[in-house]
Amino acid sequence: MHQIQRCQRKKGWLKEEGCYQISESVGLQFPDGCIARYLKKGRYAQRVGSGAPIYLAAVLEYLAAEVLELAGNATRDNKKTRIIPRHLLLAVRNDKELGKLFAGVTIASGGVLPNIDPVLLPKKSTASEEKASTPKAKKSPKKA
């Protein structure tokens, strides 16, 4: 494991140049320090290991990237440039694994998936019905 020094921040800037955050060395965008603080504050366990917040940050970053990628694809399919809650819902519900993860979640102003029950659709006519439904040729009127 890396030998990690704890950073002392002063007005938003790092105090020493050799000091760094763990997420920066691993290459994560999500802040592992905040996640560590929330894990400790939440009292999920008596002790929190040093690798737990990094792992959780990586998992959260992966999930966010996956959802945003699928939502961006849904946005492009609808010929829009901005991701709205509707696009998030379409992305999540159309993906099998994300749909299972978000099964009990309601997305505000997301709507529902477009779905029409096959029973309500008009029946497709078969070849025998087409023959029966075609009008027969009329006989020419009788001459008097």
Side-chain angles (χ1 to χ4, degrees), residues 43-111:
R43 304 295 291 166
Y44 300 107
Q46 289 181 348
R47 300 165 65 180
V48 177
S50 63
I54 300 167
Y55 195 87
L56 185 57
V59 169
L60 290 175
E61 185 173 327
Y62 169 73
L63 284 174
E66 190 75 21
V67 169
L68 282 174
E69 181 185 353
L70 293 172
N73 294 342
T75 305
R76 196 176 338 108
D77 292 344
N78 290 330
K79 298 175 184 169
K80 305 281 184 189
T81 55
R82 236 178 243 161
I83 296 175
I84 59 174
R86 174 74 178 159
H87 301 141
L88 288 172
L89 178 114
L90 290 173
V92 167
R93 299 289 183 235
N94 286 328
D95 189 64
K96 186 178 180 182
E97 286 122 7
L98 284 176
K100 199 180 288 185
L101 180 67
F102 286 86
V105 175
T106 302
I107 297 176
S109 67

